[in-house]
Amino acid sequence: MARQVDENKINAIKKATVETVVIDGISGASISKIASKAGVSVGYLYRFYKGKRELLEALFEERFQMINNLLLDQVYTQNSVEDIVTFFVKTIYEIANTRPQSISFTHKLLSDFSFELPKEFKKDVTNICQRLIKLGHKTGEIDADITDEIIYVLLVGGVLNFVNIRQRRIFEDKEFTQEDVVKTTELLLKALSPNSKNSN
Amino acid sequence: MARQVDENKINAIKKATVETVVIDGISGASISKIASKAGVSVGYLYRFYKGKRELLEALFEERFQMINNLLLDQVYTQNSVEDIVTFFVKTIYEIANTRPQSISFTHKLLSDFSFELPKEFKKDVTNICQRLIKLGHKTGEIDADITDEIIYVLLVGGVLNFVNIRQRRIFEDKEFTQEDVVKTTELLLKALSPNSKNSN
Amino acid sequence: MARQVDENKINAIKKATVETVVIDGISGASISKIASKAGVSVGYLYRFYKGKRELLEALFEERFQMINNLLLDQVYTQNSVEDIVTFFVKTIYEIANTRPQSISFTHKLLSDFSFELPKEFKKDVTNICQRLIKLGHKTGEIDADITDEIIYVLLVGGVLNFVNIRQRRIFEDKEFTQEDVVKTTELLLKALSPNSKNSN
Amino acid sequence: MARQVDENKINAIKKATVETVVIDGISGASISKIASKAGVSVGYLYRFYKGKRELLEALFEERFQMINNLLLDQVYTQNSVEDIVTFFVKTIYEIANTRPQSISFTHKLLSDFSFELPKEFKKDVTNICQRLIKLGHKTGEIDADITDEIIYVLLVGGVLNFVNIRQRRIFEDKEFTQEDVVKTTELLLKALSPNSKNSN
DNA sequence: GATGAATGAGGCTTCATTCAT
DNA sequence: AATGAATGAAGCCTCATTCAT
């Protein structure tokens, strides 16, 4: 029972942090603003995070863990790149709809070089990319030229990027639809697909 | 001659700002650090920018102006999407090589919603995308389904994104080569290209 | 029996307070540090002391009570200043050996004017000094010129001072020996002794 | 001219620091209280001292430097211990009269072990004590048994101690007079003087 | 025009104190 | 009774901004 309260508060802190960072930027997100938005005292927040940086890093790590785990799960169980990409895009867009700022937050920290990438991150990412490539070569869905870097840029970077731009409201301000999932997947698969010119 | 001196100093301020923001983050980039890195006094900097936020916004605007002008120039003069994309990718990668932090800076502010997009921005972007689509439809390089948003996400977002991930040193830490230009262009064109399945 | 437990805990609190204040300074001695060092909860500590200041004041008072009682006992029972001084010096040095921080603590608070001297303090001190002088005049151990203030400065101040400097490790870092007792007593008696020049 | 202003302000900071520490204790002396008492802004203070600790340490060092220099000067030029002690006591009491808190401040930091003694301190102190002893042996003013430690405890410790107790207003609250100088010197010389019993 | 010293608002963090359990 | 989680006031410090020189 007491545990429940804690979890709720910690979640409130996380939610408030993400929200504040997304709205006000990293530098505009003060601890006291976050705490008051989360409905907890400043001191309470410090019981769980040693400081502002640690709070952001923990959330950053959590997000990337989540994304990586999502893909790791898939690359070990699915039999086609299309299924994996579809599932990934669908999941991310669903998150973007239900917790729009979550994706934004991740994208923002990814572009802030003063925040280090989580430690396990590189290993997991390499693992994911290599398995995807291997699978794609087998199924003929991925061109021989595609590198780990390209896979990552397209899949993770590309999707986060799309969400970021949608949320920037440059073109229109609407939720992600099933159609968006289909289209995005299609684009990604096309980009990855074997080059018909290279028919050697 | 006096003008010349000023231009040099203003450029030094801009360069120092970009560099400092990229290395230390927005909150870590203090005006005095920027000024001293630029070799000007704090007071001098304030003669040209009303404050820190205005300085960043001016640079942000400038970057997007530059990117948009780059593309506007092209869409009005080139006759194939491929040429435009090639030129754009090449130019951005060259900047990424010579002034790596410049791209980083733009990408960072693009993901920071507390910085508004420049006013003219939306109009220019729409203009660019629509002309590209129109051209692509004529030349058969762009699928009928492709929207403005997709064009922008792929072209501008995608390229900035690639630079960002390369600079994050997730995979390898190398300069952008001509090969990178070719490959990136290829991927983008593939993604945009008419869908062979949709042959209805 | 229940009482016994309490006494132990209160003593633990006192010990921990003295230790922490001496090591970390007053501002560095947090209640939670003290409580955890004492093995009691913060809340428990607050059952006995209304706050940090009261805790320190109570200990300060206790120390001076102890010192004064020590001397009061003696001045009413001993027949020579030498015996009294010897006993006092011996006792203080023993405490300095067994609980070094106890003396340090007293000395520190004595020099901190934001802590008031205990109420009964002045009366007791005057009493002690006057009886010592009276006795000293009778036995010829104390010069006619010696005032209450001088007695106190030499005896209490002087001894605490010596302990403080020894513990500061300016010269050497050793325990107080019987020799130290003898020497100190000798110095004090010499200083107090009738001035041979003033043989008028 | 500009320099003059600075010196005044720095002196105001020093004065305010000493005053605040003496009245409110080290822990009660907040930077903002010190700055406002000194009539400078908080930021100004930080231009000269990296933090609260550094401010206190600098003053601590300065005081001991002063005291040591006072004595070093004397031990190299005077020909009797009496002259040196008289001069020292006179000087310290004069300071105690004109800037009472200066001495108090020094005494307080001396009893706070969380503040290190200045680096040169030990060397200077040893130097002073040894020269005093050497001189005293030659002139017959100092007993063979007197150690460095005792010299220091009596001379520096003793005098600071006296000032501290006088200022604590335990007995009376009056300025230091020429008579106090004479008496104190007399006591110190008596304590140091060769022991008539030890006529072996 | 240029400078950078000076200001003080506001951010981060600690910790004395309270109070529900 | 005993605990220690929770609070938020207050301290330290930084730095955007101003302004006298």
Side-chain angles (χ1 to χ4, degrees), chain C residues 113-165:
Chain C
F113 294 11
S114 71
F115 286 89
E116 306 270 337
L117 286 165
K119 319 212 175 65
E120 293 295 289
F121 178 77
K122 210 163 169 172
K123 210 192 63 193
D124 287 347
V125 161
T126 309
N127 198 354
I128 290 163
C129 293
Q130 301 230 328
R131 292 196 70 91
L132 262 175
I133 287 176
K134 207 168 152 191
L135 174 63
H137 287 175
K138 207 163 58 183
T139 62
E141 290 171 289
I142 294 184
D143 189 87
D145 270 4
I146 301 292
T147 60
D148 287 9
E149 191 182 35
I150 290 176
I151 291 274
Y152 194 75
V153 167
L154 286 176
L155 195 54
V156 180
V159 173
L160 292 185
N161 196 31
F162 191 7
V163 175
N164 183 52
I165 285 172

Coordinates of all heavy atoms in Angstrom, one line a residue, chain C residues 113-165:
Chain C
F113 N 30.1 32.8 20.4 CA 29.2 33.7 21.2 C 27.8 33.6 20.9 O 26.9 34.2 21.5 CB 29.7 35.2 21.0 CG 31.1 35.4 21.6 CD1 31.9 34.4 22.0 CD2 31.5 36.7 21.7 CE1 33.2 34.6 22.5 CE2 32.8 37.0 22.2 CZ 33.6 35.9 22.6
S114 N 27.4 32.8 19.8 CA 26.0 32.7 19.6 C 25.4 31.6 20.5 O 24.2 31.5 20.5 CB 25.8 32.3 18.1 OG 26.2 31.0 17.8
F115 N 26.2 31.0 21.3 CA 25.7 30.1 22.4 C 25.9 30.8 23.7 O 27.0 31.1 24.1 CB 26.4 28.8 22.3 CG 26.0 27.9 21.2 CD1 26.6 28.0 20.0 CD2 24.9 27.1 21.3 CE1 26.2 27.3 18.9 CE2 24.4 26.3 20.3 CZ 25.1 26.4 19.1
E116 N 24.8 31.1 24.4 CA 24.9 31.7 25.7 C 25.5 30.8 26.7 O 25.4 29.6 26.6 CB 23.4 32.0 26.1 CG 22.6 32.8 25.2 CD 22.7 34.3 25.4 OE1 23.1 34.6 26.5 OE2 22.5 35.1 24.5
L117 N 26.1 31.4 27.7 CA 26.6 30.6 28.8 C 25.4 30.2 29.6 O 24.4 30.9 29.7 CB 27.6 31.5 29.6 CG 28.9 31.7 29.0 CD1 29.7 32.8 29.6 CD2 29.7 30.4 29.0
P118 N 25.5 29.1 30.2 CA 24.4 28.6 31.1 C 24.1 29.6 32.2 O 25.0 30.4 32.6 CB 25.0 27.3 31.7 CG 26.0 26.9 30.8 CD 26.6 28.1 30.2
K119 N 22.9 29.6 32.7 CA 22.4 30.7 33.6 C 23.2 30.6 35.0 O 23.6 31.6 35.5 CB 20.9 30.5 33.9 CG 20.2 30.2 32.6 CD 18.8 30.8 32.5 CE 18.2 30.5 31.1 NZ 18.1 29.0 30.9
E120 N 23.3 29.4 35.5 CA 23.9 29.3 36.8 C 25.4 29.5 36.8 O 26.1 29.7 37.8 CB 23.6 27.9 37.4 CG 22.2 27.7 37.8 CD 21.7 28.6 38.9 OE1 22.2 28.4 40.0 OE2 20.9 29.5 38.6
F121 N 25.9 29.5 35.5 CA 27.3 29.5 35.3 C 28.1 30.6 36.0 O 29.1 30.3 36.8 CB 27.5 29.6 33.8 CG 29.0 29.6 33.4 CD1 29.7 28.5 33.4 CD2 29.6 30.8 33.1 CE1 31.1 28.5 33.1 CE2 30.9 30.9 32.7 CZ 31.7 29.7 32.7
K122 N 27.6 31.8 35.8 CA 28.4 32.9 36.4 C 28.5 32.8 37.9 O 29.6 33.1 38.5 CB 27.6 34.2 36.0 CG 28.5 35.4 35.8 CD 27.8 36.5 35.0 CE 28.5 37.8 35.1 NZ 27.9 38.7 34.1
K123 N 27.4 32.5 38.5 CA 27.4 32.4 40.0 C 28.4 31.4 40.4 O 29.2 31.6 41.3 CB 25.9 32.0 40.4 CG 25.5 32.6 41.8 CD 24.2 31.8 42.2 CE 24.5 30.3 42.4 NZ 23.3 29.6 42.5
D124 N 28.3 30.2 39.8 CA 29.2 29.1 40.2 C 30.7 29.5 40.0 O 31.5 29.3 40.9 CB 28.9 27.9 39.4 CG 27.6 27.2 39.8 OD1 27.1 27.6 40.9 OD2 27.1 26.3 39.1
V125 N 30.9 30.1 38.9 CA 32.3 30.5 38.6 C 32.8 31.5 39.6 O 34.0 31.4 40.1 CB 32.4 31.1 37.1 CG1 33.7 31.8 36.9 CG2 32.3 29.9 36.1
T126 N 32.0 32.5 39.9 CA 32.5 33.5 40.9 C 32.7 32.8 42.2 O 33.8 33.1 42.9 CB 31.4 34.5 41.0 OG1 31.0 35.0 39.8 CG2 31.9 35.7 41.9
N127 N 31.8 32.0 42.6 CA 32.0 31.3 43.8 C 33.3 30.5 43.9 O 34.1 30.6 44.8 CB 30.8 30.3 43.9 CG 30.6 29.8 45.3 OD1 31.4 30.0 46.2 ND2 29.5 29.0 45.5
I128 N 33.6 29.8 42.8 CA 34.8 29.0 42.7 C 36.0 29.8 42.8 O 36.9 29.6 43.6 CB 34.8 28.2 41.4 CG1 33.8 27.1 41.4 CG2 36.2 27.6 41.1 CD1 33.5 26.5 40.0
C129 N 36.0 30.9 42.0 CA 37.2 31.7 42.0 C 37.5 32.4 43.4 O 38.6 32.5 43.8 CB 37.1 32.8 40.9 SG 37.1 32.1 39.3
Q130 N 36.4 32.9 43.9 CA 36.6 33.6 45.2 C 37.1 32.6 46.3 O 38.0 33.0 47.1 CB 35.3 34.2 45.6 CG 34.8 35.2 44.5 CD 34.4 36.5 45.1 OE1 33.9 36.6 46.2 NE2 34.6 37.6 44.3
R131 N 36.5 31.5 46.3 CA 37.0 30.5 47.3 C 38.5 30.1 47.1 O 39.2 30.0 48.0 CB 36.1 29.3 47.4 CG 34.7 29.6 47.9 CD 34.0 28.3 48.3 NE 34.6 27.7 49.5 CZ 34.2 27.9 50.7 NH1 33.2 28.8 50.9 NH2 34.8 27.4 51.7
L132 N 38.8 30.0 45.8 CA 40.2 29.6 45.5 C 41.1 30.7 46.0 O 42.2 30.5 46.6 CB 40.4 29.4 44.0 CG 40.3 28.0 43.5 CD1 40.4 27.9 42.0 CD2 41.5 27.2 44.1
I133 N 40.7 32.0 45.7 CA 41.6 33.1 46.1 C 41.7 33.2 47.6 O 42.8 33.3 48.1 CB 41.0 34.4 45.5 CG1 41.2 34.5 44.0 CG2 41.6 35.6 46.2 CD1 40.5 35.7 43.3
K134 N 40.6 33.0 48.2 CA 40.6 33.1 49.7 C 41.6 32.0 50.3 O 42.5 32.3 51.1 CB 39.2 32.8 50.2 CG 38.9 33.4 51.6 CD 37.4 33.3 51.8 CE 37.1 33.3 53.3 NZ 35.7 33.0 53.6
L135 N 41.4 30.8 49.7 CA 42.3 29.7 50.2 C 43.8 30.0 49.8 O 44.6 29.8 50.7 CB 41.8 28.4 49.5 CG 42.7 27.2 49.7 CD1 42.8 26.8 51.2 CD2 42.2 26.0 48.9
G136 N 44.0 30.5 48.6 CA 45.3 30.8 48.2 C 46.0 31.8 49.0 O 47.2 31.8 49.2
H137 N 45.2 32.8 49.4 CA 45.8 33.9 50.2 C 46.2 33.3 51.6 O 47.3 33.6 52.1 CB 44.8 35.0 50.4 CG 44.6 35.8 49.2 ND1 43.7 36.8 49.1 CD2 45.2 35.8 48.0 CE1 43.7 37.4 47.9 NE2 44.7 36.8 47.2
K138 N 45.4 32.4 52.1 CA 45.7 31.8 53.4 C 46.9 31.0 53.3 O 47.8 31.1 54.2 CB 44.5 31.0 53.8 CG 44.4 30.8 55.3 CD 43.0 30.3 55.7 CE 42.6 28.9 55.1 NZ 41.3 28.5 55.4
T139 N 47.0 30.2 52.3 CA 48.2 29.3 52.1 C 49.4 29.9 51.5 O 50.4 29.3 51.4 CB 47.8 28.1 51.3 OG1 47.5 28.5 50.0 CG2 46.6 27.3 51.8
G140 N 49.2 31.2 51.0 CA 50.3 31.8 50.4 C 50.6 31.4 49.0 O 51.6 31.6 48.4
E141 N 49.6 30.7 48.4 CA 49.9 30.2 47.0 C 49.4 31.1 46.0 O 49.8 31.0 44.8 CB 49.1 28.8 46.8 CG 49.7 27.7 47.6 CD 48.7 26.5 47.5 OE1 47.6 26.5 48.2 OE2 49.1 25.5 46.9
I142 N 48.6 32.1 46.4 CA 48.1 33.0 45.4 C 48.4 34.5 45.7 O 48.2 34.9 46.8 CB 46.6 32.8 45.2 CG1 46.3 31.4 44.6 CG2 46.0 33.9 44.3 CD1 44.8 31.2 44.4
D143 N 48.9 35.1 44.7 CA 49.3 36.5 44.8 C 48.1 37.4 45.1 O 47.0 37.1 44.7 CB 50.0 37.0 43.5 CG 50.6 38.3 43.6 OD1 51.8 38.4 44.0 OD2 49.9 39.3 43.3
A144 N 48.3 38.5 45.8 CA 47.2 39.4 46.2 C 46.6 40.1 45.0 O 45.4 40.5 45.0 CB 47.8 40.5 47.1
D145 N 47.4 40.2 43.9 CA 46.9 40.8 42.7 C 45.9 40.0 41.9 O 45.3 40.5 40.9 CB 48.1 41.2 41.8 CG 48.6 42.6 42.1 OD1 48.1 43.2 43.1 OD2 49.5 43.1 41.4
I146 N 45.9 38.7 42.1 CA 45.1 37.8 41.2 C 43.6 38.1 41.4 O 43.1 38.0 42.5 CB 45.5 36.4 41.5 CG1 47.0 36.1 41.4 CG2 44.6 35.4 40.7 CD1 47.5 36.1 40.0
T147 N 43.0 38.3 40.2 CA 41.5 38.5 40.3 C 40.8 37.2 39.9 O 41.4 36.2 39.4 CB 41.2 39.6 39.2 OG1 41.6 39.1 37.9 CG2 41.8 40.9 39.5
D148 N 39.5 37.3 40.1 CA 38.6 36.1 39.6 C 38.9 35.8 38.2 O 39.0 34.7 37.8 CB 37.2 36.5 39.7 CG 36.7 36.6 41.2 OD1 37.5 36.5 42.1 OD2 35.4 36.7 41.4
E149 N 38.9 36.9 37.4 CA 39.1 36.7 36.0 C 40.4 35.9 35.6 O 40.4 35.0 34.8 CB 39.1 38.0 35.3 CG 39.0 38.0 33.8 CD 39.1 39.4 33.2 OE1 39.8 40.2 33.7 OE2 38.4 39.6 32.1
I150 N 41.4 36.3 36.3 CA 42.7 35.7 36.0 C 42.7 34.2 36.4 O 43.1 33.3 35.7 CB 43.8 36.4 36.7 CG1 44.0 37.8 36.1 CG2 45.1 35.6 36.7 CD1 45.1 38.7 36.7
I151 N 42.1 33.9 37.6 CA 42.0 32.6 38.0 C 41.3 31.7 37.0 O 41.7 30.7 36.6 CB 41.1 32.5 39.4 CG1 41.9 33.1 40.5 CG2 40.7 31.0 39.6 CD1 42.8 32.1 41.2
Y152 N 40.2 32.3 36.5 CA 39.4 31.5 35.6 C 40.1 31.3 34.2 O 40.1 30.2 33.7 CB 38.0 32.2 35.3 CG 37.1 31.2 34.7 CD1 36.5 30.2 35.3 CD2 36.8 31.4 33.3 CE1 35.7 29.3 34.7 CE2 36.0 30.5 32.7 CZ 35.4 29.4 33.4 OH 34.6 28.6 32.7
V153 N 40.7 32.4 33.8 CA 41.5 32.4 32.5 C 42.6 31.3 32.6 O 42.8 30.5 31.7 CB 42.0 33.7 32.2 CG1 43.1 33.6 31.0 CG2 40.9 34.7 31.8
L154 N 43.3 31.4 33.7 CA 44.4 30.4 33.8 C 43.9 29.0 34.0 O 44.4 28.1 33.3 CB 45.3 30.8 35.0 CG 46.2 32.1 34.8 CD1 46.9 32.4 36.1 CD2 47.2 31.9 33.7
L155 N 43.1 28.8 34.9 CA 42.7 27.5 35.3 C 41.9 26.8 34.2 O 42.3 25.9 33.6 CB 42.0 27.5 36.7 CG 41.8 26.2 37.4 CD1 43.2 25.5 37.6 CD2 41.1 26.3 38.7
V156 N 40.7 27.3 34.1 CA 39.8 26.6 33.1 C 40.2 26.9 31.7 O 40.4 26.0 30.9 CB 38.3 27.0 33.4 CG1 37.4 26.4 32.4 CG2 37.9 26.7 34.8
G157 N 40.3 28.2 31.4 CA 40.7 28.6 30.0 C 42.0 28.0 29.6 O 42.1 27.4 28.6
G158 N 43.0 28.1 30.5 CA 44.3 27.6 30.2 C 44.3 26.1 29.9 O 45.0 25.7 28.9
V159 N 43.6 25.4 30.7 CA 43.7 23.9 30.5 C 42.9 23.5 29.2 O 43.4 22.7 28.4 CB 43.1 23.2 31.7 CG1 43.0 21.7 31.5 CG2 44.0 23.5 33.0
L160 N 41.8 24.1 29.0 CA 41.0 23.8 27.8 C 41.9 24.2 26.6 O 41.9 23.5 25.6 CB 39.7 24.5 27.7 CG 38.6 24.1 28.7 CD1 37.3 24.9 28.5 CD2 38.4 22.6 28.7
N161 N 42.5 25.3 26.7 CA 43.4 25.8 25.7 C 44.5 24.9 25.3 O 44.8 24.6 24.2 CB 43.9 27.2 26.2 CG 44.5 28.0 25.0 OD1 44.0 27.9 23.9 ND2 45.5 28.7 25.4
F162 N 45.1 24.4 26.3 CA 46.2 23.4 26.1 C 45.7 22.2 25.4 O 46.3 21.7 24.4 CB 46.8 23.0 27.5 CG 48.1 22.3 27.4 CD1 48.8 22.1 26.2 CD2 48.7 21.7 28.5 CE1 50.0 21.5 26.1 CE2 49.9 21.1 28.5 CZ 50.6 20.9 27.2
V163 N 44.6 21.7 25.9 CA 44.0 20.5 25.2 C 43.7 20.8 23.7 O 44.1 20.0 22.8 CB 42.8 20.0 25.9 CG1 42.1 18.9 25.2 CG2 43.1 19.6 27.4
N164 N 43.2 22.0 23.5 CA 42.8 22.4 22.1 C 44.0 22.4 21.2 O 44.0 21.8 20.1 CB 42.2 23.7 22.2 CG 41.7 24.2 20.8 OD1 41.0 23.5 20.1 ND2 42.2 25.4 20.4
I165 N 45.1 23.0 21.8 CA 46.3 23.1 20.9 C 47.0 21.7 20.7 O 47.5 21.4 19.7 CB 47.3 24.2 21.5 CG1 46.7 25.5 21.2 CG2 48.7 24.0 20.9 CD1 47.4 26.7 21.8

